[in-house]
Amino acid sequence: MTNYFTPKFSVAALGAAAALTLSACGSDSEETADSTTAWDEIQEEGILTVATSGTLYPTSFRAEGTDELTGFEVEVVREAAERLELEVEFTELGFDEMLTSVQTGQVDIAANDIEINEGRQENFQFSTPFKYSYGTAIVRADDLSGIETLEDLEGKKAAGASTSVYMETARSYGAEEVTYDNATNETYLRDVAIGRTDVILNDYYLQTLAIEAFPELEIVIHPTIKYSPSEVGMVMNQDNDELVENVNRVIEEMLEDGTIADISAEFFAGADVTEPIDIEE
């Protein structure tokens, strides 16, 4: 997931996550029963509970001048839920809290530009991917923050979420991480511009639109740094097989009929993020 902010864990949530890990060691028949029960309960209540941030433009945000939650993944979720004949109930959380809430069963899905990777696949199930991108770096416009390649991240101050794949990349190259609570994009971007931090590593599409939203800031996307091709999908509990199957069914329908491409064009300035990307790393 490519979110910018870092929330806080609660002791209770961590304890619940540990309990879930222990309870997941039951028999296959027990897991199947739990999966079926979870999907049956969702259908019976008629509500799909979804965690998202509400602060990550253009994936999940509030439209200017309104209190309406919208964004690329928000609208993908709404369309998927409609095809499943369910209402959607959104809960706005920080990144780490989203994953904990999925793991503990407090929500059914997390949708917030969350990248599919091996580490997360050990603990969660992902939907069929519906967004493809790659990593870039936001730096100061006048000197590119003194960064020519990823190797130059050593000693630089990198802003982002501590548990994101992008911060993992920054740390692997020796950057000093700077994390925030549930801050807006403007806070992150302005701190790079004024030199409080040096770089933000994140998703290409998100970075491009974030910069376009604040043209007064003297920052740019680094012209040559491209890395880590990525796939994004919705995150679900490991045991919710039936939910995953049904979500995948409608996501694949939406990819086939062009619905997600249309939603992408609306939020990514005409770009189709459903197309896989090849880059030279």
Side-chain angles (χ1 to χ4, degrees):
M1 172 350 244
T2 56
N3 206 345
Y4 283 159
F5 53 77
T6 304
K8 300 176 181 178
F9 272 116
S10 69
V11 174
L14 286 172
L20 180 70
T21 302
L22 292 173
S23 67
C25 298
S27 68
D28 290 342
S29 61
E30 288 174 341
E31 291 177 359
T32 301
D34 289 343
S35 171
T36 303
T37 300
W39 175 242
D40 287 347
E41 289 176 353
I42 291 170
Q43 287 187 300
E44 182 178 346
E45 294 177 4
I47 296 174
L48 189 68
T49 56
V50 180
T52 193
S53 69
T55 60
L56 184 62
Y57 180 82
T59 289
S60 172
F61 66 100
R62 296 200 175 276
E64 186 175 357
T66 77
D67 196 41
E68 179 186 356
L69 184 66
T70 188
F72 172 64
E73 283 199 54
V74 169
E75 300 307 329
V76 170
V77 166
R78 284 193 172 121
E79 176 65 23
E82 183 175 337
R83 296 189 185 205
L84 292 170
E85 299 182 343
L86 299 170
E87 298 293 327
V88 184
E89 181 180 289
F90 288 103
T91 299
E92 293 177 40
L93 298 170
F95 176 55
D96 293 337
E97 290 175 310
M98 292 180 209
L99 298 184
T100 301
S101 294
V102 170
Q103 197 169 43
T104 57
Q106 292 173 296
V107 297
D108 303 313
I109 289 174
N112 203 72
D113 203 64
I114 303 175
E115 183 178 334
I116 302 168
N117 62 36
E118 290 183 4
R120 290 177 186 149
Q121 286 177 313
E122 292 177 0
N123 298 299
F124 302 95
Q125 294 197 68
F126 281 84
S127 71
T128 298
F130 53 85
K131 176 175 177 283
Y132 297 86
S133 189
Y134 58 89
T136 55
I138 285 180
V139 291
R140 285 183 289 280
D142 58 350
D143 63 351
L144 302 183
S145 298
I147 298 169
E148 293 185 11
T149 68
L150 289 174
E151 283 73 16
D152 296 321
L153 289 173
E154 185 172 1
K156 300 293 185 180
K157 293 182 179 180
S162 182
T163 56
S164 75
V165 295
Y166 297 103
M167 189 60 81
E168 289 172 11
T169 297
R171 281 194 297 264
S172 73
Y173 283 98
E176 175 188 342
E177 68 179 87
V178 178
T179 60
Y180 301 70
D181 285 332
N182 196 4
T184 64
N185 285 353
E186 183 177 5
T187 299
Y188 280 88
L189 298 170
R190 194 171 297 280
D191 280 356
V192 173
I194 66 176
R196 182 175 182 269
T197 58
D198 299 304
V199 62
I200 302 168
L201 300 185
N202 214 307
D203 168 83
Y204 167 74
Y205 291 111
L206 298 184
Q207 301 270 58
T208 299
L209 291 173
I211 284 181
E212 288 179 358
F214 301 99
E216 73 279 9
L217 300 179
E218 296 296 321
I219 52 177
V220 295
I221 290 181
H222 198 287
T224 59
I225 292 179
K226 300 178 181 180
Y227 56 94
S228 300
S230 62
E231 300 179 352
V232 164
M234 298 178 196
V235 182
M236 289 162 278
N237 190 285
Q238 275 188 325
D239 295 333
N240 288 357
D241 293 334
E242 276 205 288
L243 174 61
V244 175
E245 289 170 9
N246 282 282
V247 167
N248 282 344
R249 173 175 56 80
V250 295
I251 290 294
E252 287 158 17
E253 288 175 0
M254 293 162 64
L255 288 169
E256 181 68 23
D257 65 24
T259 299
I260 298 181
D262 290 342
I263 297 173
S264 169
E266 178 183 352
F267 290 99
F268 290 101
D272 183 0
V273 301
T274 69
E275 293 292 328
I277 296 174
D278 291 324
I279 66 169
E280 294 181 5
E281 294 190 77

